[in-house]
Amino acid sequence: MQETPGLGNDVRIGMGLNYSGGFAETVEEVADLEKAGLDIAFVPEAYSFDAVSQIGYLAAKTTTLELASGIFQIYTRTPSLTAMTAAGLDFVSDGRFVMGLGASGPQVIEGFHGVKYDAPLGRTREVVEICRKVWRREKVEFQGKYYQIPLPAEKGTGLGKPLKIINHPVRDRIPIVIASLGPKNVELTAEIAEGWEPIFYHPEKAASVWGEPLAKGKAKRDPSLGELQVFASPALAIGDDVEHMLDWVRPGLALYIGGMGAKGKNFYNDLAVRYGYEKEAENIQDLYLSGKKEEAAAAVPDDLVRAVSLIGPESYVAERVAAFAESGVTTLTVTPLAADRAGRVALVEKLRKICG
């Protein structure tokens, strides 16, 4: 099996792409970011444009940058199509694709796709197993709880037969990064995936919140997967006059903690509670769901905003990078807080010097 490029031990720099200003402009910026030292770019999907077409285009416009889906949702493609798509993107990028995978949430899956949101853990495990069968060019025969391939005769025409992918994939194991938050999901991720992508990663609270499920998953982990790579996603601003930018982070935190889901069914609110902000999380949610979004943002605790961000003078950011690394983070997938392309590129260059 070929070695997985990039997913090493040093702290790397990643970035989620924002194409709201136009895709042509984004492509030009990505080329500059690649020169500035960016290691991996995540292309979002959510319920916007698909990520596949954009990653394919970016593959032709870059040479060393890894390109990741951020994220493919497990419910919206069949497992075999997910594997085919990943293999195709790995092919056009000469082995630079990383498959970000996740369950998303019921609002998107049921509300936009009209597909039942059920059994995220079981489905994730089966999707990953099927994908790896496809990439190894095995005939796909799988009888799981959620996916049966070929489809049993009593459920279809009876004409299905085991097939293997026609082309030879560039790699027989494409790196999989799973976005997960809950203890059981994180345990599964640590067991079966090359990488883990949490949200609102708090270095000082990571061990108490996720340490046990990570340890349980790693105990069952196949050694051939290598060490679990951890992708944290802090906002980034470096300078002596960037303190006010902490307020730029608050609305996003309030949106997720307060507005993503309903009372009793909000994974991000649950995370804030596990971080120790139970009363604050309840207040943020009550304010947000009652339409008081600015008040909800103002209610996000200062220490939480600081902990999940890289905002401050260069010496302070260097200390925080060290804290992220010490807690196990291997890639900082940053959101540069700058008004223009030049500013974002400059921030990545500064962070590259800090990370070495």
Side-chain angles (χ1 to χ4, degrees), residues 22-163:
F23 189 62
E25 292 81 1
T26 298
V27 172
E28 292 179 7
E29 183 170 332
V30 167
D32 290 343
L33 289 165
E34 183 178 44
K35 294 174 185 175
L38 193 70
D39 296 297
I40 182 169
F42 283 81
V43 180
E45 201 164 58
Y47 48 101
S48 185
F49 298 135
D50 74 288
V52 180
S53 56
Q54 296 166 81
I55 293 172
Y57 190 87
L58 286 167
K61 298 294 183 178
T62 55
T63 55
T64 61
L65 187 70
E66 287 187 333
L67 299 166
S69 53
I71 56 172
F72 286 166
Q73 300 148 352
I74 61 172
Y75 299 93
T76 56
R77 297 174 175 88
T78 67
S80 296
L81 178 58
T82 299
M84 291 167 59
T85 301
L89 291 172
D90 209 41
F91 172 62
V92 300
S93 65
D94 294 322
R96 291 185 286 127
F97 179 64
V98 174
M99 188 168 77
L101 193 69
S104 186
Q107 282 189 322
V108 173
I109 299 306
E110 296 186 0
F112 189 70
H113 294 284
V115 177
K116 185 178 180 181
Y117 185 92
D118 68 338
L121 272 72
R123 289 186 182 276
T124 298
R125 182 184 290 277
E126 292 190 10
V127 167
V128 169
E129 189 171 339
I130 294 166
C131 282
R132 288 176 174 155
K133 279 179 174 285
V134 172
W135 299 333
R136 292 193 298 264
R137 293 198 77 236
E138 297 175 5
K139 287 187 176 180
V140 183
E141 297 181 88
F142 189 86
Q143 295 302 311
K145 183 176 180 180
Y146 305 102
Y147 303 101
Q148 297 85 46
I149 307 172
L151 192 67
E154 63 271 17
K155 292 186 177 182
T157 64
L159 299 175
K161 63 178 183 179
L163 299 171

Side-chain angles (χ1 to χ4, degrees), residues 187-325:
E187 180 181 337
L188 176 70
T189 300
E191 177 189 349
I192 69 171
E194 280 85 359
W196 169 48
E197 185 182 10
I199 195 170
F200 307 139
Y201 185 92
H202 190 314
E204 286 74 23
K205 301 280 180 98
S208 61
V209 171
W210 287 309
E212 184 176 348
L214 285 171
K216 286 182 177 179
K218 289 177 180 179
K220 298 176 281 186
R221 186 178 180 82
D222 184 338
S224 69
L225 289 171
E227 290 295 320
L228 181 70
Q229 305 301 300
V230 181
F231 295 73
S233 305
L236 174 68
I238 303 173
D240 296 324
D241 57 349
V242 296
E243 183 79 7
H244 64 284
M245 291 184 180
L246 289 164
D247 289 334
W248 297 11
V249 180
R250 295 180 189 278
L253 284 163
L255 166 64
Y256 279 83
I257 296 171
M260 289 294 237
K263 277 278 191 179
K265 195 68 174 178
N266 182 323
F267 307 132
Y268 312 100
N269 191 279
D270 293 344
L271 176 61
V273 171
R274 299 208 306 275
Y275 277 163
Y277 300 102
E278 184 173 0
K279 291 183 179 179
E280 294 89 341
E282 183 179 10
N283 184 37
I284 293 166
Q285 189 174 56
D286 288 342
L287 288 168
Y288 201 97
L289 294 179
S290 64
K292 299 177 181 177
K293 296 181 181 179
E294 291 184 5
E295 291 93 330
V300 178
D302 288 348
D303 54 345
L304 176 60
V305 178
R306 291 182 186 279
V308 302
S309 305
L310 291 172
I311 297 177
E314 187 169 336
S315 59
Y316 172 78
V317 170
E319 290 176 4
R320 294 306 296 158
V321 168
F324 275 89

